[in-house]
Amino acid sequence: MIASLIFAAAAVLTPAQPSDTEARVQKVSEPTMAVALLSCVIQRDGALQGCKVMAESPAEMGVGEAALMMSSQYRLDPFGPDGRLRTGEVVEIPVQIRIK
């Protein structure tokens, strides 16, 4: 299976409420796209630490585990749009993997 990563550029700065986390990952019956939602802590250099899978679909494909393995390569701007340093803040990273 060949997969290509589509990394959403926007990270949500507010932690998701447990009740709406699953609702943010659309379920698919015949997947052409697999999705996962990671929750991570921003480090001073923009690297992510302590990532965990909040939701994934379809679950049996292991897209959450794949997203976790790739998270060491992600870098975010450690400064928010307001210029404030976001070190230590929890962000949500949506990851989509196209299935060909």
Side-chain angles (χ1 to χ4, degrees):
M1 168 180 15
I2 299 173
S4 61
L5 171 70
I6 300 173
F7 182 65
V12 180
L13 294 178
T14 55
Q17 300 300 318
S19 60
D20 71 342
T21 300
E22 288 294 328
R24 296 176 63 192
V25 175
Q26 180 181 2
K27 306 291 183 206
V28 292
S29 57
E30 292 185 29
T32 56
M33 186 77 65
V35 295
L37 181 65
L38 299 181
S39 175
C40 306
V41 177
I42 301 177
Q43 300 301 295
R44 180 174 279 288
D45 64 353
L48 302 176
Q49 182 180 34
C51 294
K52 56 186 171 184
V53 179
M54 302 303 292
E56 64 182 307
S57 177
E60 67 275 1
M61 293 189 73
V63 66
E65 184 177 337
L68 280 175
M69 291 179 5
M70 293 184 286
S71 69
S72 65
Q73 299 175 31
Y74 302 158
R75 293 290 182 272
L76 297 179
D77 185 352
F79 293 94
D82 59 357
R84 188 175 60 83
L85 189 62
R86 301 184 302 174
T87 299
E89 290 187 18
V90 176
V91 293
E92 291 181 339
I93 309 293
V95 177
Q96 297 181 342
I97 299 175
R98 184 173 299 143
I99 301 167
K100 294 183 180 184

